[in-house]
Amino acid sequence: MLDVDRASRLGVNLLSLDEPKMARLVRQLGWPSYRSGQILRWLYQRRARTIDQMTDLSQTDRKKLSAEARIGRASECTVLRSRDGTSKFILTLDDGVQVEAVLIPDDDRLTLCVSTQAGCTLDCGFCLTGTMGLKRNLKPHEIIEQVLTAQEYLPSDERISNMVFMGMGEPLANLDSLSEAIRRLTNNRWGLGWSPRRITVSTAGMASRLNALAPLGVNLAVSLNATTEEQRARLMPAVNGVASLKTLLSACRRYPLAPNRRVTFEYVLLADVNDRAADAERLIKLIRGIRCKVNLIPFNPFPGSAFRRPSDREVLLFQSILRKARIDVFIRKSRGRDVLGACGQLGNLTSSSERTLTQIESRC
Ligand code: SAH
């Protein structure tokens, strides 16, 4: 853990600077402006951990930079590996707060599920993260840290192919950090060079903020989870207080979808709560006319949760009703459940209870 005094003695964390701030630092050091891109490339493309690794800066310049700055990567990371190949990363940040990311291999994809907050302000009744409240928003570099760490964990010939902002927290409640993190991820000159088409941001329904996503070029997923106002108010009270189901769906209808893109609607299936034929029929009506697909997520239980997972038969039945209405509908495979790495299972358990659940594979 880094106390404030020690942090200031060590200088500014280069990863905390956006492009204009990096340019200012470079100017203050009296260096030519191209040096800013050079340093940024070391941070994001070459994942340097020390200023000394920046070998295209002279020894003297590296010393000069080290006097002012440091590279503050996460001090500690625990990796839990699931029997199904999913890996959950628990990162400890400067102030001791922990945040989780999950790497999910599947056929030809390798998807990283990223967190935007430690905890969450929302209180969706079926989500473990919701029970812990919000510890704090993540900063842009703490979001990027999850990507850098996961990439470093992989063999050099393996690349993360897709990124979903579906980890801990509500991405649109931390919009500034989210946007800056996406800018660094998608920057081709010095950033990670990600295509925004491979990035999906999932929201519980902060309708008034949807439009902020469009200019970033990423995909939009909306967690619907209910088909009546009452049901949604019961299951997702906080977010439903901000925007009703009706408001949310009209925001989705107005969303400036790029050609060839679709909105993804996520729908957590809770046995005997929202998984009946009548729910499926209402869902069809609600999303009619929106270019979309539906991802059904059978509920992933966690200790103390009040809901049940429907049987496979019930899930297939729900899917078939949507299919008949010609909706593209997929069932999200549950991955990493044994390490509490599946949807809605991130956070809150004490590390000692996690240890009884899982085997710690490595620390990095
Ligand atoms: N706050 C954002 C992103 C995090 S949740 C959002 O709500 O979209 C990512 C997805 O997991 C959401 O679709 C959410 O509805 C779903 N989810 C939450 N808890 C779950 C659980 N216990 N089982 C299955 N899916 C869950």
Side-chain angles (χ1 to χ4, degrees):
M1 211 188 291
L2 211 60
D3 62 51
V4 177
D5 276 0
R6 204 174 136 229
S8 59
R9 264 205 320 277
L10 291 171
V12 61
N13 180 1
L14 291 175
L15 288 161
S16 73
L17 304 181
D18 59 13
E19 193 174 16
K21 284 194 182 127
M22 184 64 80
R24 197 180 317 147
L25 176 68
V26 162
R27 261 197 317 277
Q28 279 164 3
L29 288 164
W31 289 342
S33 58
Y34 67 81
R35 184 132 296 175
S36 174
Q38 244 176 333
I39 298 173
L40 288 163
R41 273 191 292 280
W42 275 108
L43 297 177
Y44 298 107
Q45 297 182 349
R46 295 158 112 165
R47 296 193 299 271
R49 282 186 170 266
T50 64
I51 289 172
D52 215 41
Q53 285 173 309
M54 301 182 176
T55 44
D56 52 6
L57 268 65
S58 70
Q59 291 257 9
T60 324
D61 284 351
R62 275 180 265 166
K63 275 216 183 81
K64 205 167 154 186
L65 186 58
S66 301
E68 303 287 329
R70 68 194 166 95
I71 302 176
R73 295 285 310 271
S75 51
E76 203 188 314
C77 162
T78 303
V79 187
L80 309 177
R81 203 171 158 91
S82 161
R83 279 188 292 274
D84 66 17
T86 300
S87 304
K88 168 155 131 170
F89 298 82
I90 307 170
L91 294 167
T92 305
L93 304 174
D94 270 2
D95 57 358
V97 161
Q98 290 192 321
V99 66
E100 302 180 359
V102 184
L103 190 61
I104 311 153
D106 195 13
D107 299 332
D108 54 344
R109 286 183 173 204
L110 186 54
T111 303
L112 184 67
C113 178
V114 180
S115 297
T116 50
Q117 299 181 309
C120 191
T121 47
L122 306 180
D123 54 356
C124 307
F126 45 81
C127 179
L128 177 64
T129 310
T131 65
M132 65 190 284
L134 180 70
K135 290 200 174 145
R136 67 171 174 82
N137 278 337
L138 298 188
K139 297 176 188 130
H141 70 274
E142 293 168 333
I143 298 175
I144 299 277
E145 176 71 49
Q146 300 168 55
V147 186
L148 299 177
T149 303
Q151 190 59 62
E152 274 163 358
Y153 172 78
L154 290 169
S156 58
D157 59 340
E158 276 184 47
R159 286 261 168 284
I160 305 165
S161 65
N162 295 76
M163 198 176 311
V164 292
F165 284 87
M166 294 183 189
M168 296 165 92
E170 165 53 39
L172 298 190
N174 188 14
L175 192 53
D176 290 346
S177 289
L178 173 78
S179 307
E180 174 59 18
I182 291 174
R183 280 194 288 274
R184 294 184 201 178
L185 280 168
T186 54
N187 184 294
N188 282 319
R189 282 178 294 119
W190 48 260
L192 289 154
W194 269 72
S195 159
R197 303 186 75 90
R198 294 183 173 274
I199 301 175
T200 299
V201 174
S202 178
T203 176
M206 301 192 75
S208 64
R209 299 188 179 179
L210 290 192
N211 278 352
L213 285 182
L216 298 169
V218 295
N219 300 300
L220 167 66
V222 176
S223 301
L224 217 48
N225 300 342
T227 57
T228 68
E229 297 289 350
E230 301 72 51
Q231 202 182 41
R232 196 164 148 95
R234 222 175 324 120
L235 295 175
M236 307 171 78
V239 75
N240 200 64
V242 177
S244 67
L245 191 56
K246 189 160 175 260
T247 309
L248 176 59
L249 282 159
S250 46
C252 293
R253 278 177 211 287
R254 284 196 312 271
Y255 185 75
L257 257 185
N260 304 322
R261 301 280 192 105
R262 302 191 279 184
V263 177
T264 301
F265 286 112
E266 293 159 285
Y267 192 92
V268 182
L269 281 169
L270 308 165
D272 300 329
V273 174
N274 66 357
D275 67 337
R276 315 264 172 97
D279 293 288
E281 299 292 353
R282 278 195 296 267
L283 182 56
I284 293 166
K285 286 204 186 103
L286 285 176
I287 62 177
R288 188 167 283 154
I290 303 178
R291 210 157 71 229
C292 69
K293 62 175 174 167
V294 173
N295 276 350
L296 301 175
I297 319 176
F299 175 64
N300 294 310
F302 49 87
S305 63
F307 298 102
R308 279 184 308 110
R309 185 183 177 87
S311 69
D312 290 351
R313 208 183 127 263
E314 284 157 332
V315 173
L316 289 170
L317 193 65
F318 197 95
Q319 182 188 36
S320 71
I321 300 173
L322 298 187
R323 276 232 170 105
K324 274 196 206 111
R326 299 181 170 277
I327 291 170
D328 276 334
V329 49
F330 305 92
I331 299 168
R332 170 110 32 101
K333 267 193 255 169
S334 171
R335 303 293 304 272
R337 267 198 285 166
D338 54 337
V339 291
L340 287 179
C343 295
Q345 291 186 317
L346 302 188
N348 211 33
L349 291 186
T350 61
S351 48
S352 63
S353 61
E354 275 196 24
R355 250 163 234 154
T356 59
L357 275 167
T358 58
Q359 183 196 337
I360 291 176
E361 191 199 52
S362 60
R363 282 169 181 275
C364 47

